[in-house]
Amino acid sequence: MNEPIEFYRHALPKSTAAAVEAVIASPFLTSGSVCKRVEGMLCEFFGASHAFLTSSWTNGAIAALLALDIGPGDEVIVPAQTFIATANVVELVGATPIFVDVDPHTLLMSAEAAAGAVTERTRAVIPVHLYGQMCDIAGLRKALGPSRGIAIIEDAAHAFESSRDGELPGSHSDVAIFSFYATKNVTCGEGGAIITNRADLAQRMHSTRLHGMSKGAADRFQGGRYNHWDMTLLGTKANLPDLLAALLPDQIGSIRERLPERQAMANRYRDAFRGLPVRLPELLPGCSTAEHLFPIHVPPAQRDWAISKLNAGGINVTVNYRSVPDTSYYREKYGFRPEQFPVSYEWGEGEITLPLYERLTADEQERVIAAVRNLADEIAFREDKSAAITGAR
Ligand SMILES: *Cc1c(COP(=O)(O)O)cnc(C)c1O
């Protein structure tokens, strides 16, 4: 049998090792000059006025929610089709996630659907740029109305190098949050970043990211002497160590020039699957997607069988994602039923994510394509057979 094809392999450049060694040779391993430098790169990359590196998307989002003073009694609108973390952070600060179903063509939360879920308790909306295609944040801002004081927190975990109508994440929101988790397009194993153009929020997040302290470790020793700090609001521990931040500059510096290759790889899949009985999310004009993941959708009754067929052929795949309100925690806590979020549920029951990463070779991608084509033939056959059985009943 052929070598198995991994779901993901990182593509850290060789120069990374030297950057990590330089941190090891420095006195402190945690947040310091490397983080400052990367935060500067992020401000420049996104045209944002403030950036903070965090230990994960999740911890960054908690720091942002604390800075916005969102907690018990407050509602935060989230899409039903996303990774669980998007909703979990709302639960973790004691607020209530309000799920809305996604658009059946793009799987994104629409501005209208989000605006339709607003109540007098709504404090924020977390749109998710699922798989890399960006939601309409300018439209969402307009739909929410300027006077309502509802914050927009972009979940840009899939969208580091994405744009929509030429605009980048963070352009129309209060905060945009990125993830540098192990499988993301830019990665340091575990990590994340928050960007904002709001000076008031930046000041608060500076502190909610670090216990609520008024000064970080580097600031406490500024000017060659010890400087006292205070705590004025409750924070979490979400800063990123320099040791991990050192993995980022070379990746950030080259990510835009690497994007066309990733997009070409995704388009090779799209071309190969045209006409097959597998569904793909629709791409919108004006969107340049980071192609973070390549999802396909098969009839839900065939999904687990399809995964085992792919696995048997040495192809590692994942599911991104089962509908969040259909996980046991949310179902049991809120009594959700699948038919409340039918699009998200149906997508989540039939979704399979194929390998898509820079180090995937052309031969490996051909093997994946061939396997999906075979699968498609068998799916068509199995669907006919089950239809015949149902019809005979
Ligand atoms: C990966 C991911 C997160 C969580 O990121 P972490 O850095 O692991 O906390 C949140 N939202 C989405 C859409 C993700 O894919």
Side-chain angles (χ1 to χ4, degrees):
M1 202 180 90
N2 287 320
E3 282 290 298
I5 298 173
E6 303 292 343
F7 176 68
Y8 181 87
R9 279 176 289 175
H10 76 71
L12 291 187
K14 292 224 162 51
S15 53
T16 307
V20 173
E21 275 176 28
V23 177
I24 292 170
S26 73
F28 290 112
L29 303 175
T30 191
S31 314
S33 62
V34 182
C35 281
K36 283 254 155 62
R37 178 172 159 232
V38 177
E39 288 168 352
M41 289 180 82
L42 292 171
C43 285
E44 197 169 315
F45 190 97
F46 294 106
S49 30
H50 309 273
F52 301 100
L53 284 172
T54 57
S55 49
S56 64
W57 181 97
T58 300
N59 287 338
I62 291 170
L65 290 166
L66 291 174
L68 287 161
D69 200 21
I70 292 174
D74 297 332
E75 293 179 354
V76 177
I77 296 168
V78 298
Q81 178 51 239
T82 179
F83 181 56
I84 47 173
T86 314
N88 288 359
V89 293
V90 178
E91 287 278 308
L92 283 166
V93 299
T96 306
I98 303 298
F99 292 98
V100 302
D101 207 359
V102 290
D103 177 87
H105 305 287
T106 61
L107 288 317
L108 300 176
M109 179 168 70
S110 73
E112 296 71 33
V118 168
T119 72
E120 67 281 359
R121 289 169 172 246
T122 306
R123 294 288 318 284
V125 182
I126 311 185
V128 179
H129 303 314
L130 196 70
Y131 309 131
Q133 176 152 258
M134 285 177 66
C135 304
D136 179 10
I137 305 298
L140 176 61
R141 178 68 82 196
K142 209 179 283 169
L144 291 174
S147 60
R148 298 262 204 133
I150 299 172
I152 300 177
I153 303 170
E154 280 172 84
D155 181 338
H158 296 183
F160 192 92
E161 65 273 47
S162 299
S163 64
R164 182 172 175 132
D165 300 325
E167 294 184 306
L168 308 182
S171 301
H172 295 281
S173 58
D174 294 273
V175 193
I177 309 175
F178 302 91
S179 172
F180 303 135
Y181 174 68
T183 57
K184 300 289 170 19
N185 292 14
V186 172
T187 179
C188 60
E190 297 287 354
I194 318 173
I195 60 169
T196 184
N197 291 318
R198 274 180 57 181
D200 62 324
L201 208 50
Q203 197 183 5
R204 289 173 67 85
M205 291 193 301
H206 179 78
S207 139
T208 55
R209 175 186 65 154
L210 196 70
H211 306 294
M213 283 165 103
S214 57
K215 290 187 177 71
D219 304 325
R220 291 201 294 277
F221 295 101
Q222 220 157 42
R225 62 185 168 81
Y226 182 79
N227 301 287
H228 283 294
W229 52 270
D230 189 19
M231 177 182 148
T232 52
L233 72 169
L234 182 64
T236 183
K237 185 75 196 300
N239 58 307
L240 188 74
D242 273 8
L243 211 44
L244 290 177
L247 276 61
L248 297 170
D250 290 350
Q251 293 179 69
I252 294 171
S254 61
I255 190 76
R256 278 200 184 120
E257 61 195 60
R258 289 183 285 131
L259 177 60
E261 181 50 42
R262 197 179 180 95
Q263 291 177 327
M265 202 181 268
N267 285 331
R268 229 169 283 143
Y269 275 142
R270 284 191 187 95
D271 290 343
F273 300 155
R274 199 155 291 135
L276 299 187
V278 297
R279 242 173 85 204
L280 307 179
E282 213 168 273
L283 292 182
L284 296 168
C287 283
S288 174
T289 160
E291 305 282 10
H292 170 53
L293 297 170
F294 198 90
I296 63 170
H297 183 274
V298 301
Q302 315 280 2
R303 195 259 304 274
D304 289 354
W305 164 83
I307 290 177
S308 61
K309 285 287 285 188
L310 291 167
N311 288 165
I315 296 164
N316 286 294
V317 296
T318 60
V319 171
N320 303 86
Y321 305 92
R322 312 265 315 264
S323 181
V324 178
D326 195 51
T327 56
S328 297
Y329 174 87
Y330 288 103
R331 233 183 20 226
E332 284 162 21
K333 178 163 179 178
Y334 295 101
F336 292 132
R337 285 162 291 104
E339 55 272 27
Q340 290 175 268
F341 311 99
V343 177
S344 173
Y345 179 75
E346 218 267 333
W347 179 260
E349 292 304 290
E351 199 276 350
I352 300 173
T353 307
L354 302 179
L356 176 74
Y357 48 89
E358 280 169 75
R359 289 172 62 196
L360 186 73
T361 65
D363 283 353
E364 287 174 326
Q365 190 177 16
E366 280 310 316
R367 268 179 63 199
V368 178
I369 288 171
V372 172
R373 284 215 181 101
N374 280 337
L375 206 61
D377 289 343
E378 288 192 58
I379 285 170
F381 176 72
R382 287 166 65 99
E383 283 288 288
D384 282 351
K385 209 167 59 175
S386 72
I389 292 167
T390 322
R393 231 180 246 147

